[in-house]
Amino acid sequence: MTRLKPESSSTTWSSRNSCFSPGFRDIGPSGCAWTAARQSSPAQINLANLLVKYFMAGSWPPRVAAFLPTTDLSTTEMKQTVYPQTNYFRCYKTTGPDKRFFVNALTNRFFQPTRSCRVRTNACRKSEVGLPLLLSDGEPSSRRIGQSHLPLHRKGSSRFPTGTRCDRVPCEEGIMRPIRLFTVLSVMLLLLHCAGPPPEPEEGLYAFVGASVIDGTGNPPIENAVLIVRDGRIEDVGAKEVLPPPATANLVDVSGKTIIPGLINTHGHVGQTKGLESGPDVYSKDNVLAQLQLYARYGVTTVVSMGGDGPEAIELRDGQDTKDLDRARIYAAGAVVVGRTPAAVTKMIDDNAAMKVDWIKIRVDDNLGSSRKMRPNVYQAVIEHAHRKGIRVAAHLYYLDDAKGLLDKEVDFIVHSVRDQEVDQELIDALLSKEVCLCPTLTREVSTFIYESEPDFFTDPFFLKETDPDVIEQLKDPERQKTIQQSKSAQQYKKALQVASENLKKLADAGVTIAFGTDSGPPARFQGYFEHMELDLMVKAGLTPMQAIMAATGQAADCLNLHRVGTLTQGK
Ligand SMILES: [Zn+2]
């Protein structure tokens, strides 16, 4: 426990302290250390706490990094260490008296100001509305905020220039000097001056209030949360008692509901199926679009189409960076790369690269012994050539030995389970050391045998609401069912599902990053519905619901190198 006893008022707010608040001392590249006991006066602490209260309770957007723990920081109250990408903190007061601590607003993790930390306000982002009170630590001085933008930081000035009163102040990234006491007083006076009737709701500003929020970062759910969205991007999220909705927000009551990030399917196929028909004949931009809308209606907001894609998919991808999107985002692998020689595969990769695909997809599989498998020298050529073009390679596989061989040749992503046998430590070590994600696609196995009889989900309204009754009738056909019952491969894949499920649990327990994916899209692998079935199967395989959600949100985004989706955090 650290007892913080205010002692001296002489050096607080000193400009030699490049950290963001009094009480923090610059300790070099790792950030700031808490030194309040030596530096803060009671008056300053109280004033800053008043400010905190104002910001937390008032209509001012809570983006400001206000601060200042006061008297008694119990280390037991501060559960988490700081997150590496931390750049913005809020000070919260908890239930007990004088229990103040910092919470990283980006991750909602607690952090302990007694330890060294990286403290940077994230209050200034380009194109966002900033706030006059911004406090930060060491950015290069050349990137300091222009004084005209941030009058509060003018050294020796306690006055707002004409025209900026009560206005929000645009700001840029950069450093701001520690704030001085009289500046704080000025802010207080100004805030009093600005008090008035509640403003009109702002267009594009929404606060979703009252839901449980699972943010996809792995943090525990936030109960009775407030999720603030401005112009299609998340501005902030937190518990209602510490993050009141802005007075100018359009309020949406979502009490009793749970909000999670949109699901990310890292292995689907889009646009190549109509009904139970499949192939290039049915591929069209309209079909791709319709299927992306279908995914979205099931909450799948991002899908990687892992093969069989034409330029239509790329065109849609290039037009999807808009807040008005009414469908899932698509990323695409183009044509699946096949060939028996390095020259043949090189040509295909060049064609895909010219189309500007996101991934190269290969199949290293003999389809249960019925076809020829791509040889190691060929997949090595694929991987090397794709990497030269700056494109990552995803591999379809079935066998453990192929998984090891592909990892040895630096494949980037494994998009099916190992299904021939139990995974071993050698594979786990390779996946971990090379930081390769694995996508289990359990429902792919399900789809091979489930229609041997009438599946339970044929009566599920959640399935029926989006499925063509004709397709269901065709799948109920007794002749069709009999063929599947007698299919050797279907029965083999039924066993493979068991192996895949056990391997999923083993890999997840070993710390391998699991990326959610279904291989939905081909006939009778129902887009949208199968993603929910996959989550269920992952939990049945032994993952916790939170692990399954993580695999389908934050982790999936990480595996795909997508930085604006996957978590309910600021800026996404
Ligand atoms: Zn696939």
Side-chain angles (χ1 to χ4, degrees):
M1 183 176 289
T2 307
R3 191 83 197 168
L4 298 168
K5 275 186 263 170
E7 282 171 10
S8 154
S9 62
S10 59
T11 58
T12 314
W13 317 109
S14 158
S15 61
R16 74 177 165 73
N17 178 356
S18 69
C19 288
F20 84 116
S21 83
F24 281 88
R25 180 172 55 87
D26 193 346
I27 55 165
S30 60
C32 306
W34 174 252
T35 55
R38 287 187 285 107
Q39 292 197 352
S40 300
S41 75
Q44 285 155 349
I45 287 171
N46 288 337
L47 198 56
N49 284 334
L50 272 173
L51 269 176
V52 170
K53 264 189 199 158
Y54 182 85
F55 285 124
M56 300 318 291
S59 60
W60 208 280
R63 189 173 279 282
V64 170
F67 48 86
L68 258 195
T70 53
T71 54
D72 190 352
L73 290 169
S74 160
T75 49
T76 55
E77 293 289 321
M78 299 164 193
K79 297 169 192 160
Q80 303 280 349
T81 51
V82 80
Y83 225 46
Q85 67 265 39
T86 291
N87 55 6
Y88 167 38
F89 299 98
R90 277 200 306 266
C91 176
Y92 290 167
K93 188 174 185 303
T94 53
T95 47
D98 293 321
K99 289 284 199 293
R100 287 169 204 280
F101 52 90
F102 284 73
V103 171
N104 175 359
L106 211 62
T107 62
N108 279 313
R109 280 174 195 252
F110 302 105
F111 101 94
Q112 199 174 333
T114 46
R115 290 188 183 166
S116 67
C117 57
R118 293 160 59 106
V119 179
R120 274 182 203 169
T121 67
N122 193 33
C124 288
R125 281 197 194 177
K126 283 183 183 132
S127 82
E128 288 181 352
V129 175
L131 295 154
L133 178 61
L134 295 167
L135 309 158
S136 174
D137 74 334
E139 287 287 319
S141 58
S142 61
R143 298 176 68 197
R144 288 183 179 206
I145 295 285
Q147 291 184 347
S148 61
H149 285 145
L150 282 165
L152 284 180
H153 299 282
R154 287 170 64 173
K155 201 172 179 177
S157 166
S158 61
R159 206 167 48 80
F160 283 87
T162 316
T164 63
R165 290 185 150 215
C166 307
D167 290 337
R168 294 215 180 96
V169 185
C171 66
E172 306 154 14
E173 281 184 281
I175 187 173
M176 282 138 287
R177 296 183 197 95
I179 193 162
R180 288 174 182 277
L181 178 56
F182 49 77
T183 311
V184 175
L185 282 166
S186 304
V187 175
M188 297 302 293
L189 290 170
L190 182 82
L191 297 180
L192 289 171
H193 182 79
C194 291
E200 287 291 299
E202 267 181 77
E203 202 187 318
L205 179 62
Y206 291 90
F208 298 88
V209 182
S212 298
V213 167
I214 297 172
D215 68 9
T217 66
N219 286 335
I222 307 166
E223 301 301 340
N224 196 16
V226 173
L227 176 72
I228 302 167
V229 176
R230 187 188 288 277
D231 296 331
R233 294 222 180 268
I234 294 169
E235 185 163 278
D236 213 342
V237 57
K240 195 177 169 188
E241 64 262 27
V242 291
L243 180 65
T248 55
N250 297 277
L251 297 181
V252 185
D253 181 4
V254 281
S255 322
K257 299 185 188 301
T258 300
I259 302 178
I260 66 168
L263 300 175
I264 298 173
N265 182 9
T266 67
H267 180 173
H269 295 275
V270 187
Q272 299 143 43
T273 299
K274 226 174 197 161
L276 293 178
E277 263 180 73
S278 166
D281 290 350
V282 300
Y283 191 85
S284 69
K285 187 175 169 183
D286 282 350
N287 203 22
V288 173
L289 206 49
Q291 294 188 358
L292 292 173
Q293 286 165 344
L294 173 61
Y295 273 123
R297 290 196 294 276
Y298 277 101
V300 181
T301 52
T302 304
V303 57
V304 181
S305 188
M306 278 291 181
D309 311 288
E312 294 88 343
I314 304 299
E315 192 191 325
L316 286 167
R317 177 202 65 192
D318 291 343
Q320 67 195 6
D321 193 11
T322 159
K323 71 185 166 83
D324 301 320
L325 200 68
D326 66 346
R327 58 167 173 88
R329 293 172 199 84
I330 184 170
Y331 297 91
V336 175
V337 172
V338 292
R340 293 190 177 172
T341 64
V345 293
T346 302
K347 167 80 174 75
M348 283 198 77
I349 292 164
D350 288 343
D351 292 346
N352 275 334
M355 202 169 85
K356 301 200 180 336
V357 297
D358 303 284
W359 288 88
I360 292 293
K361 162 85 176 291
I362 49 172
R363 289 176 56 90
V364 180
D365 194 2
D366 63 2
N367 299 303
L368 303 177
S370 66
S371 63
R372 227 171 126 142
K373 198 194 296 186
M374 184 181 273
R375 292 212 176 93
N377 69 313
V378 179
Y379 65 66
Q380 181 178 3
V382 171
I383 295 167
E384 287 175 0
H385 193 64
H387 286 179
R388 275 196 291 275
K389 296 264 173 190
I391 308 172
R392 299 205 293 163
V393 178
H396 165 116
L397 54 71
Y398 183 89
Y399 300 98
L400 177 64
D401 285 348
D402 293 328
K404 291 177 185 173
L406 282 154
L407 286 165
D408 185 52
K409 302 299 180 215
E410 307 297 337
V411 76
D412 302 286
F413 192 14
I414 291 176
V415 293
H416 286 297
S417 297
V418 167
R419 290 161 281 169
D420 64 322
Q421 58 179 296
E422 185 183 345
V423 291
D424 59 14
Q425 196 58 42
E426 188 188 341
L427 180 81
I428 290 168
D429 290 344
L431 286 163
L432 289 174
S433 66
K434 292 170 187 291
E435 296 183 352
V436 169
C437 303
L438 184 138
C439 168
T441 68
L442 302 175
T443 43
R444 183 261 169 217
E445 255 52 53
V446 170
S447 74
T448 61
F449 64 82
I450 196 75
Y451 306 110
E452 66 185 3
S453 58
E454 200 178 314
D456 289 345
F457 63 79
F458 274 12
T459 56
D460 183 352
F462 192 56
F463 171 73
L464 294 171
K465 79 185 177 85
E466 294 288 355
T467 313
D468 180 354
D470 283 352
V471 170
I472 297 174
E473 282 312 306
Q474 289 177 63
L475 291 171
K476 283 182 182 169
D477 174 20
E479 282 305 307
R480 200 175 191 282
Q481 290 179 346
K482 206 168 145 195
T483 312
I484 297 167
Q485 288 159 17
Q486 291 167 353
S487 158
K488 237 175 108 184
S489 68
Q491 300 313 313
Q492 181 68 34
Y493 285 129
K494 194 189 282 184
K495 288 183 198 134
L497 174 62
Q498 193 54 38
V499 179
S501 301
E502 285 160 13
N503 282 341
L504 168 59
K505 171 68 175 156
K506 190 168 174 181
L507 292 169
D509 285 349
V512 171
T513 306
I514 304 300
F516 174 84
T518 55
D519 207 358
S520 63
R525 294 188 206 164
F526 294 96
Q527 292 158 324
Y529 188 80
F530 265 40
E531 278 66 30
H532 291 263
M533 194 198 292
E534 183 83 24
L535 287 171
D536 190 39
L537 288 173
M538 290 169 87
V539 173
K540 283 184 176 138
L543 270 60
T544 64
M546 185 58 100
Q547 279 179 307
I549 290 171
M550 285 287 293
T553 56
Q555 262 168 231
D558 286 346
C559 291
L560 299 175
N561 278 350
L562 298 177
H563 306 297
R564 300 302 289 265
V565 296
T567 57
L568 299 175
T569 49
Q570 286 186 323
K572 303 209 176 174

